[in-house]
C-alpha cells in the first residue's frame, strides 16, 4: 500500500476508534488543533508516564517542575523569541496558499533521497542475496547523480539558513523548479520572516493591560525557576529539571495531522552542567534518549540522528532523533547543547544573579545546559504509526494496533461468551478484581469474533473470555492480540500473566 494511503487510513482509524478528533469539529474544525478521545488520552498519559518516570524516578539528580503557561513578557525578549523565533514563509500567488520556504526545500531533499532508495530497492530485488548495497550506492550512475543533487542542494540550503538569506531561499526554490502542490505553479512571492508566538492581553484596559505570550516552549519556565529549584532542593551540579506541559506556536503550515500543531505538549529536560563539560553530557543524553525510543521495540533501523543544518540562536550543538514515519524520516525529539545562553540572558534582563557555586573547583559560574525536548503528540503519532497494521488472515483480514502492551490504553477486555447463565456476572467479578491494577473493559455486544476484531483495532493486548467451563472450574481463555493464540488459564493467575507483560519496570530495565 502507498505510504500516503496508509497515513490517510491511520488518521481515519484514530477518529473511528476514539483516539484523536479534529478540534471544534461540529463547527467545521480549527486548523492544526486536535482533541484526544477516550483511548487517545490513555495512550498519551502512558507515554507521559514512560517519559516522566524514566527521567525523575531513574535519575537521582533529576527533579520535576510544573510552571505556568503565562509568564512575564520580558522572559521572551531575554530568550530571543520576540526577535528571532521566526519561520521563513512564502506564498503562492495563484493558490494563495502559504508555505514554509525551508520545508519546501526539505521536501525537495527528501525527493532526491526517495529516488536513491527506489534505485536501491529495485537492485536489491533484482540481485537478491548477492546484492552489495554499499558498492551499488558508490558506483551506480543514477544513484550518484541524485546523491550529487542532494549534496549540492543541502550545502546551499544550510548556508542560506545560517546566513539568514531569504533571497537565496527563494532563489533555491526557483532554481529547483519547486511547484505549489495545490496550483502546480511557480508563481511565488518573496520569502519573509514570520514570528510564531501567539500573544494575548493580561488585565483590563483601564488597569493598563499588558501584552503577554502563550509559551512556545516549556523550557523557559525551567530556566526562570533554576535558582528556586537549586536552592530549595539543595541540588548539586550536574542536575536536571524535567517538565511536561502545553506549548503554542502559530505554525505557518499545519500539515500531517498531529505532527505539526498550533497547540501541543512538550516533555523537556534542562540538564545543568559545569561549563566545558556540556559536549560530553550532550553525547551522554543522545545515547540515553535513543535507548528510550528503541526500548519500545519498533525496530532500531527506523530511528536515526539528524544533525541540524542551522543551529538555533542558543545552541553550540544540536541533533534530532528522527523516526521513519509513513511520510519519511522526521524529527521526534531535539537534543540541544544550549550553552549558558538562557541563564545568562535572564541574569542580564532580570538583574538577578543566576549562578552556581561549585565547591569542587571553588568557583562560581552560570551553568551550561543540555536540553532534551520531545513533543508528546509527535511521540503519540510515532507510536501509533508504528503500531498500525493491516493483516490478511486465512479467512478474513484485520486491522490491529500492535501497541507495546505497556502503552496500550486498555490492557484487557473481559467478555462473557453469552449474555446469560451468570457469565456476565462472572466477567464483572474478574474486572472487579483486576481494575485496581489494569485498565479493563467489559464487552458483551456481538459475536466473540467481532469483539476480538474491535479490541484488535483499539490495540487491547489481552482478551479474556468467560464461558460455561469458567463457572465450573474458575478458568478462562486468554487470547493474545499479536499472535491471536489462546490458552486456558486460572482466573487467579490472570493478574500475574498480564502484570508481567504490561510492566513499565521491564521497560526501564532495558534503559
Ligand atoms: N525547547 C526546545 C524546543 O522547543 P523544538 O525543536 O522547537 O525545540 C522540540 O521542539 C520538540 O517539540 C520537537 O522535536 C517536536 O517533537 C515538538 N514540536 C515542536 N513543534 C511542534 C508542533 N508545532 N507540533 C507538535 N510538536 C511540536
Amino acid at each position: 500500500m502507498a505510504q500516503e494511503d496508509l497515513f490517510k487510513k491511520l488518521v481515519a482509524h484514530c477518529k473511528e476508534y476514539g483516539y484523536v478528533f479534529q478540534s471544534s469539529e461540529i463547527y467545521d474544525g480549527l486548523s492544526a488543533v486536535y482533541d484526544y478521545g477516550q483511548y487517545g488520552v490513555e495512550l498519551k498519559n502512558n507515554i507521559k508516564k514512560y517519559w516522566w518516570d524514566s527521567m525523575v524516578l531513574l535519575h537521582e539528580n533529576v527533579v520535576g517542575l510544573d510552571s505556568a503557561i503565562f509568564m512575564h513578557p520580558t522572559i521572551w525578549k531575554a530568550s530571543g523569541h520576540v526577535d528571532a523565533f521566526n519561520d521563513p514563509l512564502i506564498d503562492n500567488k495563484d493558490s494563495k496558499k502559504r508555505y514554509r520556504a525551508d520545508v519546501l526545500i526539505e521536501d525537495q531533499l527528501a525527493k532526491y533521497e526517495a529516488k536513491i532508495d527506489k534505485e536501491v530497492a529495485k537492485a536489491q530485488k533484482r540481485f537478491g542475496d548477492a546484492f552489495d548495497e554499499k558498492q551499488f550506492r558508490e558506483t551506480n550512475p543514477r544513484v550518484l547523480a541524485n546523491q550529487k543533487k542532494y549534496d549540492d542542494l543541502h550545502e546551499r540550503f544550510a548556508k542560506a539558513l545560517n546566513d539568514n538569506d531569504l533571497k537565496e531561499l527563494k532563489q533555491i526554490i526557483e532554481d529547483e523548479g519547486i511547484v505549489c502542490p495545490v496550483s502546480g505553479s511557480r508563481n511565488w512571492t518573496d520569502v519573509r520572516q514570520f514570528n510564531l508566538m501567539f500573544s494575548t492581553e493580561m488585565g483590563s484596559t483601564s488597569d493598563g493591560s499588558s501584552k503577554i505570550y502563550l509559551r512556545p516552549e516549556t523550557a523557559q519556565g525551567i530556566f526562570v525557576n533554576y535558582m528556586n529549584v537549586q536552592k530549595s532542593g539543595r541540588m548539586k551540579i550536574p542536575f536536571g529539571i524535567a517538565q511536561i506541559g502545553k506549548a503554542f506556536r502559530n505554525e505557518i503550515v499545519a500539515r500531517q495531522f498531529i505532527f505539526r500543531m498550533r497547540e501541543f505538549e512538550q516533555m523537556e529536560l534542562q540538564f545543568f552542567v559545569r561549563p566545558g563539560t556540556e559536549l560530553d553530557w550532550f553525547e551522554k543524553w543522545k545515547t540515553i534518549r535513543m535507548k528510550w525510543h528503541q526500548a519500545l521495540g519498533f525496530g532500531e533501523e527506523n530511528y536515526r540522528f539528524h544533525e541540524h543544518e542551522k543551529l538555533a540562536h542558543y545552541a553550540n550543538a544540536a541533533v534530532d532523533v528522527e523516526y521513519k514515519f509513513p511520510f519519511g524520516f522526521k524529527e521526534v525529539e531535539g537534543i540541544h547543547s544550549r550553552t549558558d545562553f538562557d541563564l545568562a540572558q535572564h541574569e542580564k534582563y532580570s538583574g538577578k544573579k543566576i549562578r552556581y557555586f561549585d565547591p569542587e573547583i571553588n568557583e562560581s559560574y552560570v551553568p551550561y545546559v543540555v536540553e532534551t525536548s520531545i513533543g508528546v503528540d509527535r511521540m503519540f503519532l510515532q507510536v501509533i504509526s508504528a503500531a498500525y497494521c493491516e493483516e490478511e488472515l486465512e479467512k478474513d483480514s484485520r486491522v490491529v494496533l500492535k501497541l507495546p502492551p505497556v502503552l496500550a490504553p486498555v490492557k484487557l477486555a473481559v467478555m462473557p461468551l453469552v449474555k446469560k447463565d451468570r457469565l456476565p456476572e462472572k466477567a464483572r467479578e474478574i474486572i472487579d478484581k483486576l481494575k485496581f491494577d489494569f485498565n479493563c473493559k467489559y464487552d458483551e455486544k456481538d459475536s466473540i469474533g467481532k469483539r476480538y476484531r474491535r479490541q484488535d483495532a483499539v490495540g487491547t493486548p489481552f482478551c479474556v473470555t468467560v464461558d460455561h467451563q469458567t463457572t465450573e472450574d474458575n478458568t478462562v481463555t486468554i487470547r493474545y492480540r499479536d499472535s491471536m493464540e489462546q490458552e486456558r488459564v486460572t482466573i487467579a493467575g490472570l493478574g500475574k500473566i498480564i502484570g508481567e507483560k504490561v510492566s513499565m519496570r521491564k521497560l526501564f530495565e532495558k534503559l
Side-chain angles (χ1 to χ4, degrees):
M1 190 191 332
Q3 294 296 293
E4 234 171 73
D5 295 339
L6 177 77
F7 193 60
K8 276 188 194 147
K9 285 190 177 180
L10 181 70
V11 175
H13 190 87
C14 281
K15 180 175 174 189
E16 189 179 347
Y17 287 95
Y19 272 89
V20 184
F21 306 126
Q22 174 74 59
S23 159
S24 323
E25 197 188 77
I26 59 168
Y27 289 94
D28 297 333
L30 187 65
S31 169
V33 187
Y34 289 89
D35 299 334
Y36 288 84
Q38 63 276 29
Y39 295 120
V41 65
E42 297 288 347
L43 173 57
K44 213 175 168 207
N45 284 340
N46 292 340
I47 290 172
K48 287 195 264 186
K49 184 168 168 51
Y50 177 39
W51 184 88
W52 184 266
D53 287 358
S54 77
M55 288 294 178
V56 177
L57 288 190
L58 300 196
H59 295 102
E60 212 182 304
N61 57 351
V62 173
V63 293
L65 179 79
D66 184 15
S67 70
I69 288 172
F70 291 149
M71 291 194 277
H72 196 287
T74 311
I75 287 174
W76 303 110
K77 189 75 192 153
S79 67
H81 284 82
V82 172
D83 297 320
F85 195 56
N86 301 320
D87 275 342
L89 72 81
I90 188 166
D91 293 292
N92 183 270
K93 292 181 196 162
D94 298 321
S95 66
K96 310 271 182 273
K97 291 276 174 206
R98 181 160 285 181
Y99 299 92
R100 264 176 64 177
D102 55 335
V103 172
L104 286 178
I105 299 170
E106 273 168 12
D107 287 350
Q108 182 74 359
L109 283 166
K111 275 187 194 156
Y112 291 132
E113 267 187 322
K115 280 185 186 169
I116 296 171
D117 289 348
K118 208 169 155 190
E119 290 294 341
V120 172
K122 255 187 355 200
Q124 204 152 28
K125 214 168 160 193
R126 196 163 2 116
F127 296 116
D129 288 345
F131 182 59
D132 180 341
E133 183 175 334
K134 186 166 177 288
Q135 193 196 12
F136 183 78
R137 281 181 184 270
E138 284 168 1
T139 54
N140 179 274
R142 278 187 299 275
V143 169
L144 290 176
N146 278 310
Q147 189 62 51
K148 178 157 174 27
K149 283 185 190 164
Y150 179 95
D151 293 341
D152 291 349
L153 175 58
H154 188 266
E155 194 181 326
R156 206 176 152 194
F157 175 47
K159 184 167 179 341
L161 284 180
N162 279 309
D163 296 349
N164 250 329
D165 189 343
L166 302 183
K167 277 202 178 121
E168 173 67 353
L169 284 178
K170 175 161 187 205
Q171 197 56 51
I172 294 175
I173 289 172
E174 285 179 347
D175 293 350
E176 289 287 325
I178 295 174
V179 297
C180 165
V182 176
S183 67
S185 89
R186 297 176 190 174
N187 196 5
W188 297 109
T189 62
D190 287 341
V191 177
R192 322 190 278 298
Q193 291 290 22
F194 177 78
N195 192 287
L196 299 183
M197 280 200 295
F198 284 103
S199 64
T200 184
E201 299 286 319
M202 182 176 260
S204 70
T205 330
S206 54
D207 286 334
S209 66
S210 60
K211 181 176 178 180
I212 57 164
Y213 297 97
L214 273 72
R215 64 182 180 198
E217 61 171 13
T218 65
Q220 297 304 322
I222 298 181
F223 292 127
V224 297
N225 276 295
Y226 160 78
M227 286 305 286
N228 285 336
V229 175
Q230 193 272 321
K231 285 218 162 93
S232 60
R234 299 156 149 273
M235 305 302 292
K236 286 204 171 61
I237 271 181
F239 76 91
I241 304 179
Q243 169 158 242
I244 299 179
K246 288 268 183 171
F248 306 84
R249 295 183 190 177
N250 196 3
E251 295 285 356
I252 301 167
V253 202
R255 280 197 316 182
Q256 284 146 343
F257 192 36
I258 54 172
F259 184 82
R260 201 177 298 289
M261 303 158 87
R262 297 202 165 105
E263 174 182 337
F264 57 101
E265 220 170 345
Q266 287 186 315
M267 306 188 279
E268 299 203 297
L269 169 79
Q270 308 300 322
F271 196 74
F272 301 94
V273 303
R274 186 184 291 165
T277 64
E278 73 277 9
L279 293 179
D280 287 342
W281 280 109
F282 176 72
E283 289 305 323
K284 279 185 195 148
W285 278 106
K286 269 174 68 179
T287 310
I288 294 171
R289 295 305 303 147
M290 189 53 107
K291 264 194 184 169
W292 183 89
H293 285 279
Q294 293 185 341
L296 288 173
F298 291 126
E300 293 188 6
E301 68 287 1
N302 291 320
Y303 299 86
R304 70 181 187 191
F305 284 120
H306 172 78
E307 305 282 339
H308 281 205
E309 272 77 28
K310 180 191 175 187
L311 289 178
H313 58 274
Y314 47 71
N316 71 355
V319 77
D320 292 336
V321 176
E322 291 191 338
Y323 176 75
K324 197 172 184 186
F325 285 95
F327 42 84
F329 270 104
K330 295 280 175 202
E331 171 186 351
V332 181
E333 170 158 8
I335 302 168
H336 302 105
S337 168
R338 287 181 82 128
T339 66
D340 61 351
F341 176 84
D342 302 87
L343 292 183
Q345 286 291 99
H346 290 307
E347 198 178 65
K348 184 170 144 202
Y349 277 77
S350 68
K352 310 275 176 359
K353 280 251 169 289
I354 305 183
R355 300 278 158 137
Y356 175 75
F357 177 73
D358 193 329
E360 282 179 27
I361 53 171
N362 212 17
E363 233 181 71
S364 189
Y365 52 76
V366 178
Y368 271 45
V369 173
V370 174
E371 168 189 76
T372 72
S373 174
I374 171 170
V376 179
D377 314 85
R378 207 169 280 184
M379 183 63 197
F380 182 109
L381 184 60
Q382 190 261 284
V383 168
I384 211 143
S385 44
Y388 183 88
C389 232
E390 293 182 4
E391 281 183 356
E392 284 306 322
L393 306 174
E394 252 172 48
K395 288 192 190 132
D396 61 352
S397 62
R398 68 168 183 162
V399 174
V400 51
L401 286 186
K402 292 191 173 173
L403 295 166
V406 62
L407 297 185
V410 178
K411 305 302 187 208
L412 82 152
V414 185
M415 312 168 164
L417 188 63
V418 288
K419 281 190 253 178
K420 55 183 185 181
D421 305 335
R422 291 200 51 77
L423 300 191
E425 288 78 0
K426 195 76 192 163
R428 293 221 181 262
E429 268 173 36
I430 295 173
I431 290 185
D432 281 342
K433 266 196 202 139
L434 296 178
K435 71 182 177 194
F436 300 102
D437 295 314
F438 313 113
N439 188 335
C440 312
K441 278 273 169 295
Y442 176 79
D443 193 356
E444 64 172 22
K445 198 167 172 288
D446 301 321
S447 70
I448 277 287
K450 272 195 182 159
R451 283 183 259 173
Y452 283 157
R453 288 290 170 273
R454 197 156 54 226
Q455 295 302 330
D456 287 345
V458 167
T460 307
F462 309 102
C463 288
V464 166
T465 305
V466 174
D467 54 23
H468 292 96
Q469 192 182 329
T470 310
T471 54
E472 287 159 20
D473 64 3
N474 275 323
T475 63
V476 287
T477 56
I478 181 164
R479 182 245 191 203
Y480 300 98
R481 177 197 66 198
D482 298 350
S483 64
M484 293 186 290
E485 274 167 15
Q486 301 185 21
E487 60 176 331
R488 191 120 206 138
V489 299
T490 61
I491 292 175
L494 275 177
K496 186 160 184 286
I497 297 174
I498 296 165
E500 274 177 11
K501 300 261 169 42
V502 305
S503 147
M504 211 163 267
R505 186 195 167 114
K506 285 260 155 61
L507 198 54
F508 291 147
E509 281 168 359
K510 292 191 203 166
L511 302 181

